[in-house]
Amino acid sequence: MTQDAAHEERELRQCVMDRLTRAVSANGGVISREELSAFDLGGGTTRRLVDASAGIWNPKDLKATLSIVSSPDGPYDDRDIDGGLFRYDYRAGSTQGQNTKLRRAMELGLPIILLRKIAPGVFVPVFPVYVVEDDRKAHQFVIALDESLRFLRDPLHPTTDERRYAERITKQRLHQPEFRGRVIQAYSTRCAVCRLAHGELLDAAHIVDDSDAELGQPVVSNGLSLCTLHHRAYDHGFLGITPDYEVRIDSALLDEVDGPVLRHGLQEMHRQRLQLPARRADHPDPERLAWRWEKFGAASA
């Protein structure tokens, strides 16, 4: 591969990922297989970003793999994570075929896209990621989820400090986007309080913080799809939610006189019913809401 050809392929991948960033943001952190199958690059140009059936997508016109699909069993399955780095099985246990271009991505240092499947035909993309090691003994590729992890001395045997750092990066780059994608998808890309439907302005708020080992699990029932305003109001105790799904605004805030944001954005939300996901299994957990509601009541007293 000539230097010019390598540069051209990097430029194409950068273009794809720039456009993908905008599309995913608008969708609240997810993208559909339909969109990936004919992804709009602008100017009337489209490109397939996912294989029609296999987990590794190797476009004929590219020297290396463009995307890989991972299908975790649970909210996310850390069996794929070792030492803070993501492991991806060889295709069909072979060292040939589709694996060749994935190995080529490692050799050329080219960025690829990791597509984490969270529902049929729905993915949370993580990108750019890099193949940093070929573990032939385990028949697995080792994937760095962040550019800073590309330069570990020995990806198969990270030091304690490297492992700790890599695990923190994995949480930021894999677990948090997955949680956000699942929660916002469950709420049909709307704020549960005000119904705002712009994915770029929505967050996945934890009911119980993930630092709580018992209740802070990364499941949809521990999350709320909230716009930026209502997320910050919830986190700072200006907004509470009762265990039976009613929004309450801090009494001191209700007495304030200010502009339209306070009046329409917060005060008028007082005693509104929460918009719930279509699936009952995705509804906010009343036990977790009660725990958070108690904190809200104590702060408002």
Side-chain angles (χ1 to χ4, degrees):
M1 190 176 190
T2 67
Q3 188 172 358
D4 287 345
H7 177 73
E8 185 176 333
E9 183 152 332
R10 287 181 186 278
E11 289 288 305
L12 172 63
R13 288 168 189 263
Q14 186 63 55
C15 174
V16 166
M17 293 180 188
D18 287 346
R19 299 284 297 192
L20 188 57
T21 296
R22 294 196 288 272
V24 170
S25 177
N27 292 346
V30 302
I31 194 160
S32 69
R33 177 175 286 277
E34 182 180 4
E35 291 174 278
L36 291 167
S37 297
F39 188 72
D40 181 12
L41 293 180
T45 302
T46 62
R47 173 175 280 273
R48 175 178 284 277
L49 302 188
V50 65
D51 193 272
S53 57
I56 301 175
W57 173 226
N58 293 321
K60 292 182 179 179
D61 63 327
L62 299 184
K63 296 296 183 182
T65 296
L66 183 57
S67 73
I68 56 176
V69 172
S70 169
S71 301
D73 295 328
Y76 40 73
D77 189 348
D78 279 354
R79 289 179 302 178
D80 294 333
I81 307 296
D82 181 32
L85 296 171
F86 190 86
R87 283 181 168 265
Y88 195 80
D89 288 341
Y90 286 174
R91 171 68 174 165
S94 169
T95 58
Q96 303 301 320
Q98 289 190 326
N99 301 316
T100 302
K101 281 194 171 182
L102 193 48
R103 190 169 292 110
R104 189 68 173 142
M106 177 185 70
E107 295 166 352
L108 297 172
L110 291 171
I112 64 174
I113 302 163
L114 171 63
L115 299 168
R116 291 283 274 180
K117 182 179 177 182
I118 62 167
V122 181
F123 303 90
V124 171
V126 181
F127 59 94
V129 302
Y130 298 86
V131 186
V132 294
E133 190 65 63
D134 180 5
D135 188 347
R136 292 179 181 266
K137 184 177 180 180
H139 279 206
Q140 292 178 324
F141 293 101
V142 180
I143 313 292
L145 300 179
D146 185 80
E147 189 159 6
S148 65
L149 299 176
R150 293 175 62 192
F151 309 106
L152 297 182
R153 178 186 53 81
D154 182 358
L156 295 182
H157 305 94
T159 67
T160 300
D161 287 343
E162 288 173 338
R163 178 186 291 268
R164 188 180 297 114
Y165 175 74
E167 288 172 349
R168 179 164 61 83
I169 293 297
T170 294
K171 181 177 180 180
Q172 294 172 351
R173 296 269 291 153
L174 186 67
H175 296 168
Q176 290 176 359
E178 259 188 58
F179 177 70
R180 178 174 184 262
R182 289 179 184 277
V183 170
I184 293 177
Q185 177 80 1
Y187 284 81
S188 302
T189 318
R190 287 185 180 275
C191 174
V193 173
C194 68
R195 282 60 167 172
L196 181 72
H198 288 272
E200 302 95 328
L201 300 177
L202 298 180
D203 299 327
H206 285 82
I207 299 172
V208 179
D209 192 83
D210 58 3
S211 62
D212 187 310
E214 183 179 355
L215 294 177
Q217 298 301 310
V219 292
V220 173
S221 58
N222 186 37
L224 296 164
S225 175
L226 298 177
C227 69
T228 303
L229 172 63
H230 292 131
H231 186 187
R232 290 185 65 83
Y234 189 58
D235 282 352
H236 288 276
F238 294 114
L239 181 152
I241 298 170
T242 69
D244 58 350
Y245 309 134
E246 188 173 279
V247 177
R248 299 288 180 84
I249 301 300
D250 176 69
S251 57
L253 205 63
L254 288 173
D255 294 336
E256 283 189 27
V257 177
D258 201 345
V261 172
L262 175 63
R263 184 170 68 255
H264 301 302
L266 290 170
Q267 292 170 337
E268 289 181 4
M269 297 298 106
H270 188 56
R271 295 192 177 277
Q272 293 290 318
R273 295 290 297 173
L274 203 68
Q275 174 178 289
L276 298 175
R279 292 196 332 141
R280 182 172 291 275
D282 293 334
H283 287 191
D285 175 25
E287 180 183 354
R288 290 181 169 96
L289 285 175
W291 179 90
R292 184 68 177 260
W293 174 249
E294 186 176 345
K295 291 183 64 178
F296 174 78
S300 302

